Amino acid sequence: MAISVFDLFTIGIGPSSSHTVGPMRAARRFAEGLAESGLLERTAAVRAELYGSLALTGKGHGSDRAVVLGLLGQTPEGVDVDAAAATVERVRTEHRLALAGVREVDFDPETHLDFRRKETLPGHPNGMRFLALDSAGTELRAHTYFSVGGGFVVDEEAVGADRITADETPQPYPFSSAAELLETCRETGMSISAVMLANERAFGRTDEEIGEGLLEIWRAMRACVRRGVTTEGTLPGGLKVSRRAPRLYRQLGGHCGPEGLAGPDHSDPGDPMRGTDWITLYALAVNEENAAGGRVVTAPTNGAAGIVPAVLHYYAHFTQGAGDEGTMRFLLAAGAIGILYKQNASISGAEVGCQGEVGSASSMAAAGLAEAWGATPAQIENAAEIAMEHNLGLTCDPIGGLVQVPCIERNALASIKAISAARLALRGDGSHFVSLDKVIRTMRDTGRDMMDKYKETSRGGLAVNVIEC
């Protein structure tokens, strides 16, 4: 089973990879399946049923809008985020949509989109089912999909097996554990980023294509931060949360020029903690954009999308000699750690709580920063372990089902934690008591033991106590 770094870092739309990106991809896949099977012309109407966490927090996460856009043939990577709201509203008004972009069918979101809040499909909390009907109301085709985290979508045949779309691409240095990855590095003398680069070549990409793809991800992250610090206003949803990144940016003396976000001023010796304010800014900017349904990089999820960009901005602005080479090594090493979480545990908040999203992202960012700073593979594994060890048990309890409170601030704190983990690991020689494999296994087991009300259902924790107070 091969996973690419470009599977973990994808350019898409907020506010949620599991609840927005996944349902959009599933809906589009269903529409394409109708066309491929010759059923599109016979289809007169479509229905969509959302279950479990998708039903409980779907509206706050934009799942209803995502389903409409996906049925229209839109993709998270290509959808026009500025026109999306008007497109969905037109479907709501006309009760019709162009299925797969070509076939006009009946679709009234009020009756054809069913949130089954009291039902959960076996296999995963993020389940959905699509149905195509002919003019007599007879079912032509039905298919079940699961959004298993990070925008990954599988059908009911795959969800009980490897839980992600299988890719049998042979790789020169396959690994399924941190121990195997470290052993490969010891045997070959290669860094973690070099191992990942060699494996990326197996997908048929040249070094130039891989490098350009990684830098495109970095450009998208920078553009997201730029939008986040220049866009004022209130985030959508009933909480009426104000954007804080623009004000914080002004307080820090920042400004945006033609080349993008201006860097921090290092000339203020009076506040040694000023750098943490910049890290907070980067994370807030991304996650406020995400909460507004803007363009973000899934890293590895949307709910945790601010952590890797914040730490990568910290590397770029606070590290002497930082450049494109270090940025690429950062993303490759972070991707290697993300693969371990995806393969051996979960990056889905609906399945294991926020430890699987923010915790995984913090661990990935710590590893990436350590790699960019020239750490040994053992030190990088240590950095990743430290970051996750201190995110274990983190619940997912979004207030109002919105990716806003506590999600936005949580990204900022986890970014600082990632940097601390990397700095601590580089002070040692890589030897440590708890291995990354053991902490990943612990995260998985903790998620299994965690009560469902603390796993992206908005039925426990802050999601209920804030309202009660």
PDB file of all heavy atoms in Angstrom, residues 52-53 56-57 120 125 349-353 395-398 446-461:
ATOM      1  N   GLY A  52     -24.004   9.249  11.052  1.00  0.00           N
ATOM      2  CA  GLY A  52     -23.014   9.410  12.104  1.00  0.00           C
ATOM      3  C   GLY A  52     -22.542  10.838  12.277  1.00  0.00           C
ATOM      4  O   GLY A  52     -23.322  11.782  12.336  1.00  0.00           O
ATOM      5  N   SER A  53     -21.223  11.000  12.357  1.00  0.00           N
ATOM      6  CA  SER A  53     -20.649  12.324  12.560  1.00  0.00           C
ATOM      7  C   SER A  53     -20.971  13.270  11.406  1.00  0.00           C
ATOM      8  O   SER A  53     -21.150  14.471  11.608  1.00  0.00           O
ATOM      9  CB  SER A  53     -19.129  12.209  12.729  1.00  0.00           C
ATOM     10  OG  SER A  53     -18.542  13.477  12.871  1.00  0.00           O
ATOM     11  N   LEU A  56     -24.355  14.559  12.290  1.00  0.00           N
ATOM     12  CA  LEU A  56     -24.420  15.346  13.514  1.00  0.00           C
ATOM     13  C   LEU A  56     -23.794  16.722  13.363  1.00  0.00           C
ATOM     14  O   LEU A  56     -24.291  17.700  13.921  1.00  0.00           O
ATOM     15  CB  LEU A  56     -23.739  14.581  14.655  1.00  0.00           C
ATOM     16  CG  LEU A  56     -24.495  13.340  15.142  1.00  0.00           C
ATOM     17  CD1 LEU A  56     -23.602  12.469  16.006  1.00  0.00           C
ATOM     18  CD2 LEU A  56     -25.744  13.745  15.920  1.00  0.00           C
ATOM     19  N   THR A  57     -22.682  16.818  12.654  1.00  0.00           N
ATOM     20  CA  THR A  57     -21.997  18.114  12.520  1.00  0.00           C
ATOM     21  C   THR A  57     -21.836  18.528  11.063  1.00  0.00           C
ATOM     22  O   THR A  57     -21.080  19.440  10.758  1.00  0.00           O
ATOM     23  CB  THR A  57     -20.610  18.065  13.196  1.00  0.00           C
ATOM     24  OG1 THR A  57     -19.800  17.081  12.547  1.00  0.00           O
ATOM     25  CG2 THR A  57     -20.729  17.719  14.663  1.00  0.00           C
ATOM     26  N   THR A 120     -25.626   5.265  12.428  1.00  0.00           N
ATOM     27  CA  THR A 120     -24.221   5.194  12.030  1.00  0.00           C
ATOM     28  C   THR A 120     -24.010   3.934  11.206  1.00  0.00           C
ATOM     29  O   THR A 120     -24.445   2.851  11.613  1.00  0.00           O
ATOM     30  CB  THR A 120     -23.285   5.174  13.249  1.00  0.00           C
ATOM     31  OG1 THR A 120     -23.474   6.368  14.008  1.00  0.00           O
ATOM     32  CG2 THR A 120     -21.824   5.096  12.811  1.00  0.00           C
ATOM     33  N   PRO A 125     -17.466   6.270  11.345  1.00  0.00           N
ATOM     34  CA  PRO A 125     -18.501   7.238  11.717  1.00  0.00           C
ATOM     35  C   PRO A 125     -18.909   8.179  10.586  1.00  0.00           C
ATOM     36  O   PRO A 125     -20.006   8.750  10.635  1.00  0.00           O
ATOM     37  CB  PRO A 125     -17.842   8.028  12.863  1.00  0.00           C
ATOM     38  CG  PRO A 125     -16.767   7.142  13.374  1.00  0.00           C
ATOM     39  CD  PRO A 125     -16.268   6.388  12.184  1.00  0.00           C
ATOM     40  N   GLY A 349     -10.988  12.920  13.076  1.00  0.00           N
ATOM     41  CA  GLY A 349     -11.495  13.331  14.374  1.00  0.00           C
ATOM     42  C   GLY A 349     -12.756  12.592  14.763  1.00  0.00           C
ATOM     43  O   GLY A 349     -13.031  12.400  15.947  1.00  0.00           O
ATOM     44  N   ALA A 350     -13.536  12.157  13.769  1.00  0.00           N
ATOM     45  CA  ALA A 350     -14.751  11.401  14.049  1.00  0.00           C
ATOM     46  C   ALA A 350     -14.447   9.996  14.538  1.00  0.00           C
ATOM     47  O   ALA A 350     -15.295   9.345  15.129  1.00  0.00           O
ATOM     48  CB  ALA A 350     -15.621  11.332  12.797  1.00  0.00           C
ATOM     49  N   GLU A 351     -13.225   9.544  14.310  1.00  0.00           N
ATOM     50  CA  GLU A 351     -12.858   8.183  14.687  1.00  0.00           C
ATOM     51  C   GLU A 351     -12.019   8.141  15.958  1.00  0.00           C
ATOM     52  O   GLU A 351     -12.237   7.272  16.814  1.00  0.00           O
ATOM     53  CB  GLU A 351     -12.085   7.521  13.549  1.00  0.00           C
ATOM     54  CG  GLU A 351     -11.866   6.035  13.736  1.00  0.00           C
ATOM     55  CD  GLU A 351     -11.290   5.369  12.506  1.00  0.00           C
ATOM     56  OE1 GLU A 351     -10.690   6.067  11.666  1.00  0.00           O
ATOM     57  OE2 GLU A 351     -11.449   4.142  12.388  1.00  0.00           O
ATOM     58  N   VAL A 352     -11.070   9.063  16.126  1.00  0.00           N
ATOM     59  CA  VAL A 352     -10.167   9.007  17.282  1.00  0.00           C
ATOM     60  C   VAL A 352     -10.078  10.323  18.044  1.00  0.00           C
ATOM     61  O   VAL A 352      -9.251  10.470  18.931  1.00  0.00           O
ATOM     62  CB  VAL A 352      -8.744   8.568  16.845  1.00  0.00           C
ATOM     63  CG1 VAL A 352      -8.754   7.154  16.316  1.00  0.00           C
ATOM     64  CG2 VAL A 352      -8.155   9.541  15.828  1.00  0.00           C
ATOM     65  N   GLY A 353     -10.936  11.285  17.728  1.00  0.00           N
ATOM     66  CA  GLY A 353     -10.851  12.571  18.401  1.00  0.00           C
ATOM     67  C   GLY A 353      -9.816  13.477  17.756  1.00  0.00           C
ATOM     68  O   GLY A 353      -9.152  13.115  16.779  1.00  0.00           O
ATOM     69  N   THR A 395      -9.671  15.658  22.701  1.00  0.00           N
ATOM     70  CA  THR A 395     -11.021  15.402  22.202  1.00  0.00           C
ATOM     71  C   THR A 395     -11.369  16.328  21.036  1.00  0.00           C
ATOM     72  O   THR A 395     -10.723  17.346  20.806  1.00  0.00           O
ATOM     73  CB  THR A 395     -12.053  15.622  23.325  1.00  0.00           C
ATOM     74  OG1 THR A 395     -11.951  16.973  23.799  1.00  0.00           O
ATOM     75  CG2 THR A 395     -11.817  14.656  24.464  1.00  0.00           C
ATOM     76  N   CYS A 396     -12.411  15.944  20.308  1.00  0.00           N
ATOM     77  CA  CYS A 396     -12.923  16.762  19.210  1.00  0.00           C
ATOM     78  C   CYS A 396     -14.344  17.171  19.583  1.00  0.00           C
ATOM     79  O   CYS A 396     -15.284  16.376  19.457  1.00  0.00           O
ATOM     80  CB  CYS A 396     -12.910  15.963  17.899  1.00  0.00           C
ATOM     81  SG  CYS A 396     -13.370  16.936  16.445  1.00  0.00           S
ATOM     82  N   ASP A 397     -14.500  18.403  20.077  1.00  0.00           N
ATOM     83  CA  ASP A 397     -15.806  18.850  20.578  1.00  0.00           C
ATOM     84  C   ASP A 397     -16.120  20.259  20.062  1.00  0.00           C
ATOM     85  O   ASP A 397     -16.229  21.205  20.828  1.00  0.00           O
ATOM     86  CB  ASP A 397     -15.839  18.811  22.111  1.00  0.00           C
ATOM     87  CG  ASP A 397     -14.636  19.499  22.746  1.00  0.00           C
ATOM     88  OD1 ASP A 397     -13.732  19.943  22.003  1.00  0.00           O
ATOM     89  OD2 ASP A 397     -14.581  19.608  23.985  1.00  0.00           O
ATOM     90  N   PRO A 398     -16.255  20.393  18.727  1.00  0.00           N
ATOM     91  CA  PRO A 398     -16.481  21.720  18.153  1.00  0.00           C
ATOM     92  C   PRO A 398     -17.824  22.311  18.563  1.00  0.00           C
ATOM     93  O   PRO A 398     -18.872  21.675  18.419  1.00  0.00           O
ATOM     94  CB  PRO A 398     -16.427  21.462  16.650  1.00  0.00           C
ATOM     95  CG  PRO A 398     -16.844  20.027  16.496  1.00  0.00           C
ATOM     96  CD  PRO A 398     -16.287  19.336  17.707  1.00  0.00           C
ATOM     97  N   THR A 446      -6.331   4.849  22.391  1.00  0.00           N
ATOM     98  CA  THR A 446      -7.050   5.890  23.130  1.00  0.00           C
ATOM     99  C   THR A 446      -8.293   6.321  22.362  1.00  0.00           C
ATOM    100  O   THR A 446      -9.359   6.533  22.946  1.00  0.00           O
ATOM    101  CB  THR A 446      -6.136   7.101  23.378  1.00  0.00           C
ATOM    102  OG1 THR A 446      -4.978   6.681  24.104  1.00  0.00           O
ATOM    103  CG2 THR A 446      -6.849   8.185  24.168  1.00  0.00           C
ATOM    104  N   GLY A 447      -8.151   6.439  21.054  1.00  0.00           N
ATOM    105  CA  GLY A 447      -9.301   6.811  20.230  1.00  0.00           C
ATOM    106  C   GLY A 447     -10.406   5.778  20.277  1.00  0.00           C
ATOM    107  O   GLY A 447     -11.588   6.118  20.300  1.00  0.00           O
ATOM    108  N   ARG A 448     -10.021   4.521  20.278  1.00  0.00           N
ATOM    109  CA  ARG A 448     -11.024   3.450  20.358  1.00  0.00           C
ATOM    110  C   ARG A 448     -11.761   3.481  21.694  1.00  0.00           C
ATOM    111  O   ARG A 448     -12.950   3.185  21.770  1.00  0.00           O
ATOM    112  CB  ARG A 448     -10.346   2.097  20.171  1.00  0.00           C
ATOM    113  CG  ARG A 448      -9.890   1.823  18.741  1.00  0.00           C
ATOM    114  CD  ARG A 448      -9.134   0.506  18.647  1.00  0.00           C
ATOM    115  NE  ARG A 448      -8.768   0.203  17.260  1.00  0.00           N
ATOM    116  CZ  ARG A 448      -7.999  -0.807  16.896  1.00  0.00           C
ATOM    117  NH1 ARG A 448      -7.506  -1.619  17.831  1.00  0.00           N
ATOM    118  NH2 ARG A 448      -7.714  -1.022  15.631  1.00  0.00           N
ATOM    119  N   ASP A 449     -11.044   3.829  22.763  1.00  0.00           N
ATOM    120  CA  ASP A 449     -11.642   3.856  24.094  1.00  0.00           C
ATOM    121  C   ASP A 449     -12.431   5.141  24.355  1.00  0.00           C
ATOM    122  O   ASP A 449     -13.270   5.179  25.267  1.00  0.00           O
ATOM    123  CB  ASP A 449     -10.560   3.721  25.168  1.00  0.00           C
ATOM    124  CG  ASP A 449      -9.889   2.353  25.147  1.00  0.00           C
ATOM    125  OD1 ASP A 449     -10.485   1.410  24.590  1.00  0.00           O
ATOM    126  OD2 ASP A 449      -8.763   2.235  25.674  1.00  0.00           O
ATOM    127  N   MET A 450     -12.174   6.182  23.602  1.00  0.00           N
ATOM    128  CA  MET A 450     -12.809   7.480  23.813  1.00  0.00           C
ATOM    129  C   MET A 450     -14.318   7.386  23.545  1.00  0.00           C
ATOM    130  O   MET A 450     -14.754   6.773  22.579  1.00  0.00           O
ATOM    131  CB  MET A 450     -12.170   8.517  22.898  1.00  0.00           C
ATOM    132  CG  MET A 450     -12.586   9.957  23.176  1.00  0.00           C
ATOM    133  SD  MET A 450     -11.797  11.101  21.991  1.00  0.00           S
ATOM    134  CE  MET A 450     -10.076  11.011  22.517  1.00  0.00           C
ATOM    135  N   MET A 451     -15.102   7.981  24.404  1.00  0.00           N
ATOM    136  CA  MET A 451     -16.553   8.002  24.204  1.00  0.00           C
ATOM    137  C   MET A 451     -16.893   8.757  22.924  1.00  0.00           C
ATOM    138  O   MET A 451     -16.264   9.767  22.590  1.00  0.00           O
ATOM    139  CB  MET A 451     -17.237   8.657  25.404  1.00  0.00           C
ATOM    140  CG  MET A 451     -17.075   7.897  26.706  1.00  0.00           C
ATOM    141  SD  MET A 451     -17.826   8.730  28.119  1.00  0.00           S
ATOM    142  CE  MET A 451     -19.563   8.628  27.676  1.00  0.00           C
ATOM    143  N   ASP A 452     -17.899   8.281  22.225  1.00  0.00           N
ATOM    144  CA  ASP A 452     -18.262   8.872  20.937  1.00  0.00           C
ATOM    145  C   ASP A 452     -18.632  10.344  21.037  1.00  0.00           C
ATOM    146  O   ASP A 452     -18.432  11.100  20.093  1.00  0.00           O
ATOM    147  CB  ASP A 452     -19.429   8.102  20.312  1.00  0.00           C
ATOM    148  CG  ASP A 452     -19.008   6.751  19.762  1.00  0.00           C
ATOM    149  OD1 ASP A 452     -17.784   6.545  19.586  1.00  0.00           O
ATOM    150  OD2 ASP A 452     -19.886   5.906  19.518  1.00  0.00           O
ATOM    151  N   LYS A 453     -19.150  10.765  22.187  1.00  0.00           N
ATOM    152  CA  LYS A 453     -19.575  12.167  22.299  1.00  0.00           C
ATOM    153  C   LYS A 453     -18.398  13.134  22.257  1.00  0.00           C
ATOM    154  O   LYS A 453     -18.591  14.335  22.071  1.00  0.00           O
ATOM    155  CB  LYS A 453     -20.390  12.377  23.574  1.00  0.00           C
ATOM    156  CG  LYS A 453     -19.613  12.267  24.876  1.00  0.00           C
ATOM    157  CD  LYS A 453     -20.553  12.538  26.054  1.00  0.00           C
ATOM    158  CE  LYS A 453     -19.821  12.515  27.387  1.00  0.00           C
ATOM    159  NZ  LYS A 453     -20.746  12.813  28.516  1.00  0.00           N
ATOM    160  N   TYR A 454     -17.174  12.596  22.399  1.00  0.00           N
ATOM    161  CA  TYR A 454     -15.987  13.445  22.315  1.00  0.00           C
ATOM    162  C   TYR A 454     -15.286  13.329  20.963  1.00  0.00           C
ATOM    163  O   TYR A 454     -14.148  13.761  20.820  1.00  0.00           O
ATOM    164  CB  TYR A 454     -15.003  13.090  23.430  1.00  0.00           C
ATOM    165  CG  TYR A 454     -15.559  13.331  24.822  1.00  0.00           C
ATOM    166  CD1 TYR A 454     -15.720  12.284  25.727  1.00  0.00           C
ATOM    167  CD2 TYR A 454     -15.923  14.612  25.220  1.00  0.00           C
ATOM    168  CE1 TYR A 454     -16.226  12.503  26.989  1.00  0.00           C
ATOM    169  CE2 TYR A 454     -16.446  14.842  26.487  1.00  0.00           C
ATOM    170  CZ  TYR A 454     -16.598  13.786  27.366  1.00  0.00           C
ATOM    171  OH  TYR A 454     -17.111  14.014  28.615  1.00  0.00           O
ATOM    172  N   LYS A 455     -15.959  12.730  19.975  1.00  0.00           N
ATOM    173  CA  LYS A 455     -15.326  12.504  18.676  1.00  0.00           C
ATOM    174  C   LYS A 455     -16.151  13.138  17.558  1.00  0.00           C
ATOM    175  O   LYS A 455     -16.870  12.475  16.832  1.00  0.00           O
ATOM    176  CB  LYS A 455     -15.131  11.000  18.437  1.00  0.00           C
ATOM    177  CG  LYS A 455     -14.145  10.362  19.402  1.00  0.00           C
ATOM    178  CD  LYS A 455     -13.747   8.958  18.999  1.00  0.00           C
ATOM    179  CE  LYS A 455     -14.810   7.947  19.285  1.00  0.00           C
ATOM    180  NZ  LYS A 455     -14.315   6.554  19.102  1.00  0.00           N
ATOM    181  N   GLU A 456     -16.053  14.448  17.430  1.00  0.00           N
ATOM    182  CA  GLU A 456     -16.650  15.233  16.337  1.00  0.00           C
ATOM    183  C   GLU A 456     -18.143  14.979  16.177  1.00  0.00           C
ATOM    184  O   GLU A 456     -18.659  14.863  15.062  1.00  0.00           O
ATOM    185  CB  GLU A 456     -15.921  14.961  15.019  1.00  0.00           C
ATOM    186  CG  GLU A 456     -15.974  16.128  14.063  1.00  0.00           C
ATOM    187  CD  GLU A 456     -15.015  15.992  12.895  1.00  0.00           C
ATOM    188  OE1 GLU A 456     -14.367  14.934  12.750  1.00  0.00           O
ATOM    189  OE2 GLU A 456     -14.922  16.958  12.137  1.00  0.00           O
ATOM    190  N   THR A 457     -18.830  14.925  17.312  1.00  0.00           N
ATOM    191  CA  THR A 457     -20.284  14.815  17.277  1.00  0.00           C
ATOM    192  C   THR A 457     -20.969  16.043  17.859  1.00  0.00           C
ATOM    193  O   THR A 457     -22.183  16.198  17.725  1.00  0.00           O
ATOM    194  CB  THR A 457     -20.740  13.584  18.077  1.00  0.00           C
ATOM    195  OG1 THR A 457     -20.329  13.736  19.449  1.00  0.00           O
ATOM    196  CG2 THR A 457     -20.151  12.299  17.508  1.00  0.00           C
ATOM    197  N   SER A 458     -20.184  16.906  18.530  1.00  0.00           N
ATOM    198  CA  SER A 458     -20.719  18.089  19.228  1.00  0.00           C
ATOM    199  C   SER A 458     -21.737  17.692  20.297  1.00  0.00           C
ATOM    200  O   SER A 458     -22.663  18.439  20.602  1.00  0.00           O
ATOM    201  CB  SER A 458     -21.347  19.068  18.226  1.00  0.00           C
ATOM    202  OG  SER A 458     -20.359  19.703  17.462  1.00  0.00           O
ATOM    203  N   ARG A 459     -21.542  16.496  20.874  1.00  0.00           N
ATOM    204  CA  ARG A 459     -22.436  16.030  21.926  1.00  0.00           C
ATOM    205  C   ARG A 459     -21.768  15.984  23.294  1.00  0.00           C
ATOM    206  O   ARG A 459     -22.352  15.498  24.257  1.00  0.00           O
ATOM    207  CB  ARG A 459     -22.948  14.624  21.574  1.00  0.00           C
ATOM    208  CG  ARG A 459     -23.981  14.625  20.468  1.00  0.00           C
ATOM    209  CD  ARG A 459     -24.453  13.202  20.174  1.00  0.00           C
ATOM    210  NE  ARG A 459     -25.683  13.198  19.401  1.00  0.00           N
ATOM    211  CZ  ARG A 459     -26.274  12.099  18.950  1.00  0.00           C
ATOM    212  NH1 ARG A 459     -25.724  10.913  19.185  1.00  0.00           N
ATOM    213  NH2 ARG A 459     -27.393  12.171  18.266  1.00  0.00           N
ATOM    214  N   GLY A 460     -20.537  16.472  23.389  1.00  0.00           N
ATOM    215  CA  GLY A 460     -19.836  16.452  24.669  1.00  0.00           C
ATOM    216  C   GLY A 460     -18.817  17.569  24.765  1.00  0.00           C
ATOM    217  O   GLY A 460     -18.570  18.304  23.790  1.00  0.00           O
ATOM    218  N   GLY A 461     -18.202  17.704  25.929  1.00  0.00           N
ATOM    219  CA  GLY A 461     -17.141  18.689  26.132  1.00  0.00           C
ATOM    220  C   GLY A 461     -17.594  20.119  25.964  1.00  0.00           C
ATOM    221  O   GLY A 461     -18.704  20.501  26.367  1.00  0.00           O
TER     222      GLY A 461
END
